[in-house]
Amino acid sequence: MGMISRVRGRIRSDSFSKIPTMKSEDKIANIVWLLSLVLLLPYWAPRGLLVALGGAWLMAAYTCLVLPVLISANYRYPARWYPSVVHFAHITALRLRRPAACALAALKTVYAPLERTEKFFLQMNNLSTMLSQLLIFTACDRLMVSRGKLTSLYSLMFYNVITYSVSYVREICTKEDWSPYVNVTRHSRVKHLAMSATKIVLEWTKAVTFVVTITFILLTLGLEQGMAHYRPNILYTAITGIYYLLSERTFLELGPIAVAGLKLERLEGMESMYFGVWARGITTALAVPLVPALAWYERWRLAVLVTYLCVFVHGRHRLGEALDKLNTARGSLVKFRRATAEELSMLEDVCAVCLGNMSSARVTPCAHFFHADCLRRCLTTSDRCPICVRPYVFY
């Protein structure tokens, strides 16, 4: 019996003690990993299992509920092989960096002529804007309108009529010279007969065209003649209307005026730059979800065109250009601190550049106060203070 007990103890101490036991955290990590695989299976189902069962809303709700839980659980209980995989991926990326850099340089060289073509295309602002609007309207037509496949063309025509009406009314409201005559020179009172006649005919032509256009549109909408293929819904009207308003030049010029009326001090007089970034960002964001939707319904050519023109070209060039302008303007003011409310209340002065009241201001190193936009405009021509003409020295 004593021999058997010694042999049993030796086996326990030498053999079973060398078998690594799995810790509880490792068990939880493996369980979390397996559950993650199970919960991600619906995304790999053909044609979308959740979309087929409950539509896109079920897929969105499932994603919002499940993915944050999976990410947090795997972060709290990471499996042992996670760091190894991350380290291996890092080493592989370092080894592939040089060939990838060479391939990227080759792609840039090949893409350079196409990039010049894109910039030339965007310089034709009216044409590029109209094509992007037509693509977005057509994509919304194919996705959101079951009947009436000419809804996109009707909508674009109606929006253009509205734009023409707004621009004509704006021209009338901002017009300063109401005289129908044209003088020979600026300071002369002698009337130029031919130019005066041309101006009168042109103004009357604009007025008659405006009245006829509005009358025709009202009759068309009232009598509903020829509107059999025009069947917009609320979602279609909202998306196309927002895209058109934020891409058309007339409303891009009126937008900063409306934002300036809100008197947001944080914008510091740079409403046009901020509005440009907002408009380009929203139009690009509206075009992005249309691409997978078109691919889902196998509208491949339209999906490629929307991706390239409305997302890539307009997002890369126009949104990038607007962001560069805004960042440059903000960067020029970074060194100048904002004036506090106490300083402005004690100052009781106006901006020396525009002679306007200062509800917000920037302070120069020489203790002079200016509107941020006025100071930015001065910095484009000189690096000296507009009042004391001293160079700016920052400590």
Side-chain angles (χ1 to χ4, degrees), residues 179-241:
S179 175
Y181 304 107
V182 178
N183 297 330
V184 176
T185 60
R186 179 180 299 179
H187 302 288
S188 175
R189 294 185 178 181
V190 179
K191 305 298 186 294
H192 195 293
L193 182 60
M195 294 297 294
S196 299
T198 303
K199 183 179 180 181
I200 294 172
V201 172
L202 182 61
E203 293 298 331
W204 275 103
T205 303
K206 288 182 180 179
V208 172
T209 303
F210 174 73
V211 173
V212 170
T213 302
I214 296 299
T215 304
F216 173 75
I217 294 299
L218 292 177
L219 287 175
T220 302
L221 294 176
L223 299 177
E224 296 186 359
Q225 296 297 321
M227 307 288 289
H229 299 285
Y230 181 62
R231 293 291 183 271
N233 51 40
I234 297 177
L235 181 61
Y236 175 89
T237 305
I239 294 177
T240 56

Side-chain angles (χ1 to χ4, degrees), residues 98-242:
R98 186 175 182 84
C102 296
L104 184 61
L107 288 176
K108 286 183 178 179
T109 304
V110 174
Y111 178 68
L114 183 58
E115 184 177 14
R116 290 194 294 269
T117 305
E118 291 172 357
K119 292 181 178 180
F120 177 74
F121 172 71
L122 291 177
Q123 289 177 358
M124 299 182 289
N125 187 44
N126 293 333
L127 178 61
S128 59
T129 302
M130 185 187 68
L131 285 179
S132 65
Q133 292 171 354
L134 186 59
L135 284 174
I136 294 297
F137 282 35
T138 306
C140 293
D141 194 345
R142 297 296 181 269
L143 294 173
M144 305 172 191
V145 180
S146 58
R147 295 181 302 170
K149 296 304 182 182
L150 294 179
T151 302
S152 59
L153 297 180
Y154 278 100
S155 300
L156 190 58
M157 180 187 69
F158 289 149
Y159 292 156
N160 284 325
V161 170
I162 295 174
T163 304
Y164 169 73
S165 303
V166 170
S167 60
Y168 183 71
V169 173
R170 179 191 177 192
E171 180 183 351
I172 293 176
C173 295
T174 58
K175 190 174 183 179
E176 297 179 356
D177 183 16
W178 287 91
S179 175
Y181 304 107
V182 178
N183 297 330
V184 176
T185 60
R186 179 180 299 179
H187 302 288
S188 175
R189 294 185 178 181
V190 179
K191 305 298 186 294
H192 195 293
L193 182 60
M195 294 297 294
S196 299
T198 303
K199 183 179 180 181
I200 294 172
V201 172
L202 182 61
E203 293 298 331
W204 275 103
T205 303
K206 288 182 180 179
V208 172
T209 303
F210 174 73
V211 173
V212 170
T213 302
I214 296 299
T215 304
F216 173 75
I217 294 299
L218 292 177
L219 287 175
T220 302
L221 294 176
L223 299 177
E224 296 186 359
Q225 296 297 321
M227 307 288 289
H229 299 285
Y230 181 62
R231 293 291 183 271
N233 51 40
I234 297 177
L235 181 61
Y236 175 89
T237 305
I239 294 177
T240 56
I242 293 173

Side-chain angles (χ1 to χ4, degrees), residues 301-333:
R301 287 180 292 184
L302 188 56
V304 170
L305 289 175
V306 171
T307 304
Y308 179 66
L309 285 179
C310 302
V311 178
F312 178 74
V313 175
H314 287 267
R316 178 172 178 263
H317 292 284
R318 287 186 170 168
L319 179 58
E321 182 181 354
L323 283 172
D324 290 340
K325 288 182 179 180
L326 179 60
N327 292 331
T328 302
R330 296 176 61 183
S332 62
L333 298 173

Side-chain angles (χ1 to χ4, degrees), residues 382-393:
S382 175
D383 59 349
R384 294 177 177 269
C385 177
I387 296 179
C388 63
V389 202
R390 293 179 182 177
Y392 299 122
V393 179

